[in-house]
């Protein structure tokens, strides 16, 4: 998440100073490029590994800050939520054996994180979106206590001026309002960096955009959120929507999201930086007094702190980065769309594929972007995010299935690109064969997860299925087999997981049928008969829960004489309700004490779920079995 020492509020004086520094920084960067100061004789690769932490129940842990403190290693840093951490790998020069060197480093530091996490009863897991994340994880008590994160949350909420909204449709649909930016933390990625010379930057960045769709399609690993089947890479819409500061009125002005793919090819090296300054308001500042132009005049290389901080608050899926190493400035392209996991070998294969394709850009693409369709490229990216490996790409003026495109063109191209930079055939084959098997079998992290989830959810509740799936991912990751070779999860795997039945939101039924107050009782009877249900909530025209009709209510009423009798006249209006965070045992005892067979779960005055006596009995049985095991 970048610089942590920031101002948590933007005063006018701070804003003016920061903007002055920002202008100086972009002028200084332009000057360094003109003067040939940007490094070009060496090329490096790097990566940032975001990972999730789970407790012994396979649920998000709150121990991230404690684990980070015990690690005492500058390679690790905090993330927005307490159940995430980030590992920053050392840059590696791109040459023979560089990927094996990086893999060894990645394994070394993840082992270290796992060893420390174990002392807290936690485990490290690699996955784009942790399946067992629930709505509780989006509450503020899960946010890492860090001034930067608090500042981001406060300022973005001020700029937006209304609740955030998630609206993602796939096989299922997720519509959700939330009051903070913490749902952004559901995403974990494997961010890859490639150093690029200033002279090559425009062509390389545009090429990175062009290959994004196909690369993402074979690397998807995040199809589920809160138990809903959404996009093959749900991280894409989730990240874009979870911190979208635009209010509804802005959409008519075509105001860009801070998380975006972009809208056109770039034409100059610093164009994106300038567009970021022109289009996006400041959300963070710092009090640096450094004048980058003065530093350049003195023969020093400025750090461009203001430019880097502002750039770090605009999350393009391919992002330009400026940095210095040993006092020498360089430019990088950061690939932000690749998900974490599901294994180290899968992540490394994704990196190798991307770098190989980046180095294999055909010469006829150079300086000819005005002849290419950016709309096709952007469409490819979102088709990949939506449908993954089973999508088709607009490629060379035709639509080509992703699997065919890779086998016929992109894998051979990646091999050529790796050979150009001195990667041995053995090393290239080690990683690209992982991609080849994935393509041939059609089994990515996303397709495996969907197949497994559909199989196990027939035998258990949604929350049990998500926890079981999390456990299955963790078990298979330890085998170190790539995801293309994983067997689907099975219902039997639930037995090995100490599931925690602690809050009512995890067991409530959310697929609800409701009636309105003025619906006919005759219709209520028919619906209950058709759907074989014994409880129907009653709502008013504003969608507020006002009553409940049960099978026993209808039995007591007997035959209704008036054929036009409405639900409002016979419903139970004095309701016992609970909130979604209510303790399960308390809720079940409440049902016994109040002698009720159905407990509505509400958020304010809105119905969000039901718990019936059948649900309660099932949980009692599981708790009894668990306590007597």
């Amino acid at each position: 998440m970048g610089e942590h020492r920031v101002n948590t509020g933007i005063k006018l004086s701070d804003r003016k100073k920061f903007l002055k520094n920002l202008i100086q920084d972009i002028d200084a960067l332009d000057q360094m490029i003109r003067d040939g100061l940007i490094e070009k004789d060496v090329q490096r690769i790097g990566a940032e590994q975001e990972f999730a932490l789970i407790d012994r129940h396979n649920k998000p842990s709150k121990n991230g800050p404690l684990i980070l403190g015990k690690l005492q290693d500058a390679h690790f840093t905090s993330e927005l939520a307490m159940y995430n951490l980030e590992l920053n790998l050392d840059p590696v020069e791109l040459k023979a054996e560089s990927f094996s060197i990086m893999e060894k480093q990645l394994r070394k530091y993840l082992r270290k994180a796992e060893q420390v996490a174990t002392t807290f009863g936690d485990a490290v897991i690699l996955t784009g979106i942790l399946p067992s994340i629930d709505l509780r994880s989006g509450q503020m008590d899960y946010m890492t206590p860090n001034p930067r994160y608090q500042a981001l949350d406060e300022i973005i909420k001020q700029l937006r001026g209304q609740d955030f909204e998630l609206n993602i449709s796939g096989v299922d649909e997720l519509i959700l309002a939330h009051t903070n930016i913490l749902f952004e933390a559901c995403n974990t990625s494997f961010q890859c960096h490639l150093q690029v010379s200033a002279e090559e930057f425009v062509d390389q960045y545009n090429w990175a955009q062009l290959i994004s769709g196909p690369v993402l399609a074979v690397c998807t690993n995040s199809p589920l959120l809160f138990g809903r089947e959404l996009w093959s890479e749900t991280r894409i819409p989730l990240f874009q929507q979870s911190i979208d500061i635009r209010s509804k009125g802005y959409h008519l002005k075509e105001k860009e999201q801070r998380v975006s793919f972009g809208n056109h090819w770039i034409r100059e090296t610093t164009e994106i930086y300038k567009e970021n300054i022109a289009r996006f308001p400041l959300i963070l500042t710092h009090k640096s007094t450094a004048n980058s132009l003065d530093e350049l005049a003195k023969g020093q290389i400025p750090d461009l702190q203001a430019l880097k901080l502002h750039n770090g608050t605009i999350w393009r899926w391919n992002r330009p980065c400026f940095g210095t190493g040993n006092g020498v400035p360089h430019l990088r392209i950061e690939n932000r769309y690749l998900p974490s996991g599901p294994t180290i070998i899968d992540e490394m294969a994704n990196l190798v594929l991307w770098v190989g394709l980046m180095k294999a850009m055909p010469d006829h693409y150079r300086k000819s972007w005005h002849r290419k369709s950016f709309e096709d490229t952007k469409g490819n990216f979102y088709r990949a995010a939506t449908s993954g490996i089973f999508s088709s790409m607009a490629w060379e003026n035709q639509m080509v299935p992703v699997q065919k495109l890779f086998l016929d063109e992109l894998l051979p191209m990646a091999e050529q690109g790796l050979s150009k930079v001195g990667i041995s055939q053995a090393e290239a084959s080690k990683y690209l064969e992982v991609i080849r098997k994935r393509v041939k079998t059609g089994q990515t992290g996303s397709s495996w997860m969907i197949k497994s989830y559909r199989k196990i959810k027939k035998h258990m509740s949604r929350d049990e299925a998500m926890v079981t799936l999390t456990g299955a991912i963790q078990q298979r990751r330890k085998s170190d087999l790539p995801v293309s070779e994983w067997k689907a999860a099975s219902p039997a795997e639930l037995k090995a997981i100490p599931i925690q039945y602690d809050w009512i939101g995890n067991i409530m039924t959310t697929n609800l049928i409701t009636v309105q107050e003025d619906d006919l009782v005759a219709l209520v009877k028919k619906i209950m008969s058709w759907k074989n249900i014994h409880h129907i909530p009653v709502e008013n025209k504003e969608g507020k829960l006002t009553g409940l009709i049960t099978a026993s209510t209808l039995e007591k009423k007997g035959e209704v004489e008036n054929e036009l009798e409405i639900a409002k006249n016979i419903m139970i209006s004095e309701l016992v309700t609970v909130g979604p965070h209510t303790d399960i045992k308390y809720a079940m005892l409440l049902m016994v004490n109040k002698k009720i067979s159905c407990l509505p779960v509400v958020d304010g005055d809105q119905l969000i779920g039901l718990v019936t006596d059948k649900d309660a009995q099932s949980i009692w049985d599981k708790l009894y079995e668990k306590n007597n095991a």
Side-chain angles (χ1 to χ4, degrees), residues 242-254:
S242 61
I243 54 173
D244 190 356
I245 66 171
R246 303 171 302 173
S247 64
K248 291 178 181 177
Y250 277 135
H251 291 271
L252 295 177
K253 301 178 186 177
E254 298 189 42

Side-chain angles (χ1 to χ4, degrees), residues 530-548:
W530 294 335
K531 305 301 293 184
N532 191 27
I533 55 178
H534 299 87
H535 311 86
I536 288 192
V538 183
E539 297 175 325
N540 62 18
K541 292 180 180 179
E542 287 74 41
K544 177 183 176 181
L545 176 68
T546 57
L548 186 71

Side-chain angles (χ1 to χ4, degrees), residues 434-533:
V434 172
I435 303 295
R436 193 183 310 277
K437 287 181 179 178
R438 209 187 289 167
V439 170
K440 286 184 174 180
T441 61
Q443 184 158 295
T444 60
S446 288
S447 58
W448 175 86
M449 206 176 292
I450 290 298
K451 179 167 56 178
S452 297
Y453 182 57
R454 290 178 180 178
K455 182 178 179 180
I456 63 179
K457 74 175 181 179
K458 297 175 182 176
H459 306 277
M460 57 190 77
S461 71
R462 175 180 285 165
D463 188 66
E464 288 171 333
M466 301 310 288
V467 169
T468 299
L469 192 60
T470 301
I473 292 170
Q474 184 69 333
Q475 182 189 49
R476 286 157 179 75
R477 181 181 78 84
K478 291 177 179 178
S479 73
D480 214 28
L481 287 174
V483 73
S484 62
E485 299 179 36
W486 286 11
K487 292 182 179 179
S490 69
E493 296 184 54
L494 178 64
K495 295 179 181 178
I497 299 171
I499 288 188
Q500 185 177 32
Y501 300 101
D502 57 347
W503 68 303
I504 207 72
N506 282 348
I507 68 161
M508 67 185 182
T509 299
T510 56
N511 185 11
L512 303 176
I513 294 175
T514 65
V515 295
Q516 291 200 338
E517 290 177 330
D518 55 2
D519 281 339
L520 295 179
V521 172
L523 175 62
V524 175
K525 285 184 175 181
K526 288 291 186 184
I527 292 174
M528 293 176 77
S529 173
W530 294 335
K531 305 301 293 184
N532 191 27
I533 55 178

Side-chain angles (χ1 to χ4, degrees), residues 201-211 264-267 333 361 369 374 377:
F201 189 86
V202 170
D203 284 327
Q204 284 280 279
Y205 184 85
N206 286 337
W207 174 246
Q209 293 279 75
L210 190 140
I211 64 173
H264 54 79
W265 305 118
I266 66 167
R267 292 154 297 184
I333 295 172
M361 183 181 72
W369 298 102
F374 186 84
T377 294

Side-chain angles (χ1 to χ4, degrees), residues 558-592:
E559 287 298 323
V560 179
E561 295 180 5
N562 182 2
E563 292 182 354
L564 299 180
E565 187 71 86
I566 60 174
K568 182 178 181 179
N569 294 339
I570 69 162
M571 69 183 185
I572 302 167
S573 55
E574 294 184 5
L575 296 177
V576 177
T577 64
V578 295
H581 300 133
T582 302
D583 180 80
I584 281 178
K585 293 178 182 178
Y586 171 81
M588 290 189 290
L589 288 172
L590 185 64
M591 293 176 72
V592 173

Side-chain angles (χ1 to χ4, degrees), residues 172-174 223-230 453 462 466 510:
D172 299 320
E173 185 177 30
L174 179 66
L224 300 169
L225 180 61
F226 306 138
R228 275 72 170 181
E229 287 186 39
L230 301 171
Y453 182 57
R462 175 180 285 165
M466 301 310 288
T510 56

